[in-house]
Amino acid sequence: MATIRNGVSWSLAILSVVTLSCVWVGRSAADIPKETFEALKLDPSAGPKELHEALTKRYRDPEQGAGKGKFSNLWEPIPMSKYFDPLTFYEPPTAVKEVAGREKCVECHSDETPGWVHAWKKSAHANLDKIRELKPEDPTYYRKEKLEEVEKNLRAMGRLAADQPLKEVGCIDCHVDIGTDKKADHRADLRLPTADICGTCHLQEFAERESERDTQTWPKDQWPKGRPSHALDYRANVETGIWAGMPQREVAEGCTACHNSQNKCDTCHTRHTFSVVEARKPEACATCHSGIDHNNYENYSLSKHGVVYKTLGDQWNWNVPLKDAFTKGGQTGPTCATCHMEYNGKFSHNVVRKVRWANYPAAAGIAENINDEWSEKRKEAWVKTCTNCHAERLARSYIELMDKGTLQGLEKYKEAHAVVDKLYQEGLLPGQKTNRPPPPEPEKEGMAQFYQYFWTKGNSTTAIEQEVGAMGEDQLAKMHVSLAHVNPGNWTYSDGWQQLNATYSKVMQWDTEIRDRVALQERVAKLEGGSPTAMLKLDSTGKLVSLGGLGGGMLLAGSMMFWRGRRRDDEE
Amino acid sequence: MATIRNGVSWSLAILSVVTLSCVWVGRSAADIPKETFEALKLDPSAGPKELHEALTKRYRDPEQGAGKGKFSNLWEPIPMSKYFDPLTFYEPPTAVKEVAGREKCVECHSDETPGWVHAWKKSAHANLDKIRELKPEDPTYYRKEKLEEVEKNLRAMGRLAADQPLKEVGCIDCHVDIGTDKKADHRADLRLPTADICGTCHLQEFAERESERDTQTWPKDQWPKGRPSHALDYRANVETGIWAGMPQREVAEGCTACHNSQNKCDTCHTRHTFSVVEARKPEACATCHSGIDHNNYENYSLSKHGVVYKTLGDQWNWNVPLKDAFTKGGQTGPTCATCHMEYNGKFSHNVVRKVRWANYPAAAGIAENINDEWSEKRKEAWVKTCTNCHAERLARSYIELMDKGTLQGLEKYKEAHAVVDKLYQEGLLPGQKTNRPPPPEPEKEGMAQFYQYFWTKGNSTTAIEQEVGAMGEDQLAKMHVSLAHVNPGNWTYSDGWQQLNATYSKVMQWDTEIRDRVALQERVAKLEGGSPTAMLKLDSTGKLVSLGGLGGGMLLAGSMMFWRGRRRDDEE
Amino acid sequence: MATIRNGVSWSLAILSVVTLSCVWVGRSAADIPKETFEALKLDPSAGPKELHEALTKRYRDPEQGAGKGKFSNLWEPIPMSKYFDPLTFYEPPTAVKEVAGREKCVECHSDETPGWVHAWKKSAHANLDKIRELKPEDPTYYRKEKLEEVEKNLRAMGRLAADQPLKEVGCIDCHVDIGTDKKADHRADLRLPTADICGTCHLQEFAERESERDTQTWPKDQWPKGRPSHALDYRANVETGIWAGMPQREVAEGCTACHNSQNKCDTCHTRHTFSVVEARKPEACATCHSGIDHNNYENYSLSKHGVVYKTLGDQWNWNVPLKDAFTKGGQTGPTCATCHMEYNGKFSHNVVRKVRWANYPAAAGIAENINDEWSEKRKEAWVKTCTNCHAERLARSYIELMDKGTLQGLEKYKEAHAVVDKLYQEGLLPGQKTNRPPPPEPEKEGMAQFYQYFWTKGNSTTAIEQEVGAMGEDQLAKMHVSLAHVNPGNWTYSDGWQQLNATYSKVMQWDTEIRDRVALQERVAKLEGGSPTAMLKLDSTGKLVSLGGLGGGMLLAGSMMFWRGRRRDDEE
């Protein structure tokens, strides 16, 4: 039983494309940002086939973000890499010799890997008929409409006959070829589905997520175009210098374990249920949006927003679409999706259209930009979001608090950074002249750089730099994220301002101690008969060193903020 | 349809007051602590109107805790302040020109701010008739009794006619005037409900929470009367020196974001469902009772108590009142409310009657007091609580473990504190004589003071002080809170004793290094021809300084524990 | 109504033993590892009575792990100890004079300690008839089979007549004597149930958990036999030197609060519901498997595995046995139990059969062993586990990533450890020669030892040692545990590699600073007329000290890794 078909007659295919494009454009294309059509040089009235082809071409283009990236000569994949970036690294398994068709896949794998078969059996993919039976009064009726949209997409692309319904989405559709009725050879035909494959059926969602490349623009190129975003998160990963350059590849792939939304859809819709209920709940975001710097989930969880979810969420209907969540689903507080997938009243898989701070207030140009026209427009979109549940005046008051509070934290960081930078310029960081090996390619020596988090040797990095680096990269980021998610106290005490002050105190104490030590060294040098500045020409054991030697040039670098190390490598 | 009425005839009003006060006193007043009636100079038989007026008068009195507090001249509100302390700062919005009546509020805001309207529609406030239909056999029948109590209160206060039922509690009741049938002008009439307004209907609960002012007394004035408590948490906030004095107002308001239970009821009963289910679940407390110092929620969550809640709580009926939770609600493990809202077998909104350690074992006088008569009485109340589920011997054994464990942690802190204090007395903290600017008013220079968490400049504070401060303020507090919530391991390893020891080691290492450095400086000074103590008269660059200059007087301060900085400013 | 009977005629008892042993062996004994029968010198066909007696004899034997352990002379129990180790320390309460029978227990305690009675009333123990009514088509039908197995056990042990069903398990059965129909005197007869008492009925589970002693073997005795495991976790506790030696007994018992699975069953099945639903959920494990070092729960929670549980777990049937969880229970992602209680396709209470890293990669011999035959066999068992839901190639790729990533972290730790060890060997740690009191018995002075986490005095420990100790004990452990639980980013950034690097930087900076200071001290000594090495003979105040004095011998110790301090004391 071939439920999806490759071979349909041309006449049917053409007919269905024509029919579909009209209907489809009417409903959905309007929700795909115009910036995407412009970038793809497509008319917004383009049909599914044309749109999918254009999106896929860009998606798979190494020049536009696919694959190993600009530091590709510096690193090699490990066995797990094929699962993080299947487009580039996946090869069918040579050890599995079976050749099998649609039903056989399910049959064998019920024994081989029962967990995934059971999950699939609970999925929408295995239960399309149930969706088809939904009545218009059912709050999840949209699923039936979605199924019809999928069928139209498949027909437009010649993968489903006009007179046939889609009966199931089975193993073979995603892992070999959508709609095939042939047998597949594990060793030759197997694939892991990349986003463009999911996007054959789920074209609207694919277009939405790919639109992040186009709408995430920065007025002064603070970040490369389309970044940070899910759509280019793998590129951001492989084009970060220290990621590509560090010798510990298994450690590096810890970054990739989150930075692969670009490559797949199952970072949010876990295989093989691909449940929307799961993806709509905050925990789905938590896997990546948590931890030492962007602790979004932790802050949300402790906020009133999160408390409402955690105490009352079990009474909400999670199967209704986001737009109906409050009205038909009984939702009474926001989730991640409620605020971040919304833009001007509509919900989509583009979650970056309201980005202003991008989680990192220390990133160059972000704070300077926070009140200009670009940022104001996005702020207005936020005010709209907040006024779904709050008075406009409250929304504006709170956003002002968030912005000002963040800037106050930034000032503290800058103050400490300048102190460390001065030590660095004077060559006074511990071991700076004697034991500071250069970082691995493509990184360049610098003070408090991002690479120092992941690569250390001798006195590269000093503890002082680790600490001032953490102020910008972690503490300030957490302070801002806490403010942004309305977690009381956290930005002031538990995970923000107080930490910034404690670290500031460390930095200042180090500065005092280093300068006290230098003063004493100078006094001893003077007693030894040297000049007061003789110390500068002596290494720590008192031997004379050449000023033009190790550490000479590096004193001129300086004054970049910690995170810049990350950005610089990212620039295209 | 005016469902709540202002205008009722005097005869009816008087009649209902008489009727009510009898019934009401019979059931509820006995649960309001006698201390509150004494403080208010009221007879316990006082009727609702009299009680509400007396409570409200005190609640709104700036002399008794309302408003900006004793440091009011030092700080100005920011736009968000009007939402944290509406009584003092809220003004109706000037930008909204609509004049609207009862139905119109709901109608417009269904479009304007649909989230809050949907939440309200799910609330008890919008569904009083459903409550009225409850049968005595329903485990939530108490809600019907509660509704009748509310109606009696309203009748007693002349806000509901004797022959009329209360039909709903709508926007206009809380945000303009309870029971009004007039139209309201946003620019002139809008208010945010403070606790006394909620307390018009919910008088019993209002009286209970206000009673914290009266029952939270300390035998030796360890804390000011009524503190720490929810009833005066905003006062505690604004009368903390560093809060009032710090220039970063948006950071300061992070404290207020928790410290506003005094001002409102929606810190626990989130608007606009005001759900009791939410407020009864531990997450409702977590927003504030979590984090770097009083990590009550984290410890509860990992304790057996919390595990039972997290694994089985979805089977409990959360709509039954606390007194019936185990019997009728099927509860099998305690929540925050189970233990903290209970006192001698009864549940109320006064949660401080069993307080002994007040979360902060480093607070002066707390440990010294822990076995005296005052504390013993409260311990006996705890034993009663524990024996709801545990043998008395186990309860006593555990409380002994908690107390002794806490004292062991306290000793470690004191040992380290004395070492730092000695350095401070001798003027040996890094930069102490050269770079220690005074704190902002009203704070006074001191060693390891609370203000140093939130204000730093130069070598005010040193890292040593930050660390020893954290021992008392955070590590010891967490160790105690872990003990108090029976989170195995945490008090010993993850978040308590081990941290105290690690920080102790840092402090001791610093002490050794500083004294080594001083010894060497002295030797160099001697070589330079000075006396062994010449160093004391030299700054870090070797220049002579006047002993009477910066840092002279401050050497006499000393020896206050970190948290004292907080308390000192709190004293009234 | 005596529902369980002591007094049954011999003929019946013998008959039932014969009947049972056949059936029982047929079904269950095969699942008890053969290693256990070998260790007990029992034939696998042994009946319940024989097996229970053999297990109990070993379980209660102080020579084989029961009781105070080899440092018993060093410590005394506190009042709470009787609840952590009832076998050794529990005595019936002298204050409670009641003598009561089966029904009276429930009756009185319904008033005295209602919480536990209500919990029991919801338990299987109080509702055996409901279990008996289960139909074979019920997914929880296994409970009926389990009840029949229990009855057979009781009959075999002469505790239930052959013709009588077990009607309930009441207070008196567990707390006095199983099946008794006598009255019990609180002061003489009361007991707390140890695992062997639970194991009278639940023999299969008792045997499974006790089998951890036999299957947890190490090829090169990296850990003592049977450890680490739940079956000997109390022994591991009391035979750790610093646990026994530290004076703060209430702090020490924080360790015991987790380390008592050996002694009781309610560490996972909380009294008095003893719910399997609770024990099957990850939070049941979280109480102990969380925190600063083995943060298994935190990592699981943020992994995709945990996210599926947290977002969809409320739709699963938690009452089905683990083997049916995916098929009949609708489970779609793994819990702790899914992976850790499984071994070669079967589920049991032995959770250590696949242990390879034992959470602590810094433990001596673990890493060296990770690719040998012993480890490979266990890895293959893991691959089987993973392939329930994943392709074999993915499983192998990921385990390789986990192993290599862990080894990369280990290298970083070793590099820092060697630097601190060198300082220690040279006597250069701050205060090492002047202020380093010896640890309490039975601990021996050493560098970065486990005891230093819990006992400090003067410059025992230095901050440097605390930090390098934390690298091995906490940061590396967390890095590994994050890798093992597939928590993206955590092993690289939030809680692993980045922390190791930050601490490495601290250690290197300290090393540089200490050696700079020494160099300067030498220069000053030279100026004072001494030799360049004179410093070594001077204490910090410049006085001459004898080289043979304090700290002489200890310089020879060295180079043991931090955790070794723990192990060394554990060795038998």
Side-chain angles (χ1 to χ4, degrees), chain A residues 95-306:
Chain A
V96 189
K97 300 198 168 78
E98 276 72 18
V99 177
R102 183 168 293 272
E103 287 82 12
K104 192 72 182 170
C105 298
V106 178
E107 195 186 311
C108 280
H109 280 283
S110 293
D111 291 332
E112 281 295 307
T113 51
W116 87 40
V117 177
H118 286 296
W120 170 75
K121 281 184 177 166
K122 295 191 73 178
S123 74
H125 284 165
N127 295 284
L128 299 183
D129 280 345
K130 279 191 201 159
I131 291 172
R132 221 165 247 120
E133 289 159 12
L134 291 169
K135 304 287 175 235
E137 58 273 22
D138 192 296
T140 67
Y141 184 72
Y142 83 103
R143 304 175 84 192
K144 186 173 178 182
E145 297 171 313
K146 178 62 67 183
L147 176 53
E148 287 164 7
E149 183 186 315
V150 166
E151 289 175 326
K152 282 174 187 162
N153 289 340
L154 289 172
R155 287 179 189 127
M157 297 181 212
R159 292 182 174 276
L160 185 67
D163 56 350
Q164 284 201 351
L166 182 60
K167 283 205 186 152
E168 68 158 28
V169 181
C171 312
I172 206 163
D173 296 307
C174 305
H175 287 285
V176 177
D177 192 19
I178 297 174
T180 190
D181 51 6
K182 298 183 187 155
K183 287 192 173 183
D185 180 344
H186 280 81
R187 291 169 299 183
D189 302 327
L190 219 59
R191 68 181 179 190
L192 286 191
T194 43
D196 55 330
I197 291 171
C198 302
T200 313
C201 293
H202 302 283
L203 179 56
Q204 173 74 18
E205 290 77 10
F206 180 44
E208 286 168 5
R209 50 160 275 166
E210 288 299 295
S211 75
E212 291 190 343
R213 294 170 180 248
D214 309 306
T215 60
Q216 184 70 309
T217 57
W218 296 88
K220 290 170 193 158
D221 298 329
Q222 284 92 336
W223 296 78
K225 194 187 172 195
R227 283 166 49 192
S229 81
H230 298 92
L232 285 173
D233 68 350
Y234 184 71
R235 176 175 218 171
N237 193 56
V238 296
E239 297 199 348
T240 296
I242 187 59
W243 186 90
M246 69 192 289
Q248 297 84 1
R249 298 316 305 162
E250 279 72 19
V251 174
E253 295 289 5
C255 306
T256 324
C258 273
H259 276 267
N260 65 54
S261 293
Q262 175 182 333
N263 301 337
K264 306 188 293 136
C265 294
D266 68 355
T267 46
C268 303
H269 300 270
T270 307
R271 59 192 188 278
H272 286 92
T273 51
F274 309 103
S275 162
V276 291
V277 172
E278 175 190 345
R280 282 171 188 157
K281 288 190 176 176
E283 286 77 10
C285 309
T287 297
C288 299
H289 292 277
S290 59
I292 199 171
D293 54 341
H294 43 41
N295 56 347
N296 313 62
Y297 176 70
E298 294 89 330
N299 279 303
Y300 165 79
S301 294
L302 287 170
S303 75
K304 272 287 160 195
H305 292 162

Side-chain angles (χ1 to χ4, degrees), chain B residues 126-300:
Chain B
N127 294 284
L128 299 184
D129 280 344
K130 281 191 200 159
I131 292 171
R132 224 166 245 120
E133 289 158 14
L134 291 169
K135 306 284 175 237
E137 60 272 21
D138 191 296
T140 66
Y141 184 72
Y142 82 103
R143 303 175 84 191
K144 186 174 179 181
E145 297 172 313
K146 179 61 68 182
L147 175 54
E148 288 164 6
E149 183 187 316
V150 166
E151 289 175 327
K152 282 173 186 162
N153 289 340
L154 289 172
R155 286 179 189 126
M157 296 182 213
R159 291 183 173 279
L160 184 68
D163 55 351
Q164 285 202 351
L166 181 60
K167 284 206 185 152
E168 68 158 27
V169 181
C171 312
I172 206 164
D173 296 307
C174 305
H175 287 286
V176 177
D177 192 19
I178 297 175
T180 189
D181 52 7
K182 295 182 189 158
K183 288 192 173 185
D185 181 344
H186 280 81
R187 290 169 299 183
D189 302 327
L190 219 59
R191 68 181 179 189
L192 287 192
T194 44
D196 55 329
I197 291 171
C198 302
T200 314
C201 293
H202 303 283
L203 179 56
Q204 174 72 19
E205 291 76 9
F206 179 44
E208 285 167 6
R209 50 161 274 166
E210 289 299 296
S211 74
E212 291 190 345
R213 295 170 180 247
D214 309 307
T215 59
Q216 184 70 308
T217 56
W218 297 88
K220 289 172 193 158
D221 298 330
Q222 285 91 337
W223 296 78
K225 195 187 171 194
R227 284 168 47 192
S229 81
H230 297 93
L232 285 173
D233 68 351
Y234 184 71
R235 177 177 216 168
N237 192 56
V238 298
E239 298 199 348
T240 296
I242 187 59
W243 185 91
M246 69 192 289
Q248 297 85 1
R249 298 316 305 161
E250 279 72 20
V251 175
E253 295 289 5
C255 306
T256 323
C258 273
H259 276 268
N260 65 55
S261 293
Q262 174 181 333
N263 301 337
K264 305 188 294 137
C265 294
D266 68 356
T267 47
C268 304
H269 300 270
T270 307
R271 59 191 188 278
H272 285 96
T273 51
F274 309 103
S275 161
V276 290
V277 173
E278 176 190 343
R280 282 170 188 158
K281 289 191 175 175
E283 287 77 10
C285 310
T287 297
C288 298
H289 292 278
S290 60
I292 201 171
D293 54 342
H294 44 40
N295 55 348
N296 314 61
Y297 176 69
E298 294 89 330
N299 280 303
Y300 165 79

Side-chain angles (χ1 to χ4, degrees), chain B residues 93-151:
Chain B
T94 53
V96 189
K97 301 199 166 78
E98 276 72 18
V99 177
R102 182 168 293 273
E103 287 83 10
K104 191 73 182 171
C105 298
V106 178
E107 195 185 312
C108 280
H109 279 283
S110 292
D111 292 331
E112 281 295 306
T113 53
W116 88 40
V117 178
H118 286 296
W120 170 77
K121 281 184 177 167
K122 295 190 73 178
S123 76
H125 284 164
N127 294 284
L128 299 184
D129 280 344
K130 281 191 200 159
I131 292 171
R132 224 166 245 120
E133 289 158 14
L134 291 169
K135 306 284 175 237
E137 60 272 21
D138 191 296
T140 66
Y141 184 72
Y142 82 103
R143 303 175 84 191
K144 186 174 179 181
E145 297 172 313
K146 179 61 68 182
L147 175 54
E148 288 164 6
E149 183 187 316
V150 166
E151 289 175 327

Side-chain angles (χ1 to χ4, degrees), chain A residues 519-539:
Chain A
L520 194 61
Q521 285 170 329
E522 288 188 358
R523 284 160 65 191
V524 172
K526 198 174 176 183
L527 287 166
E528 290 170 331
S531 71
T533 55
M535 179 273 321
L536 279 173
K537 290 172 192 143
L538 297 169
D539 72 8

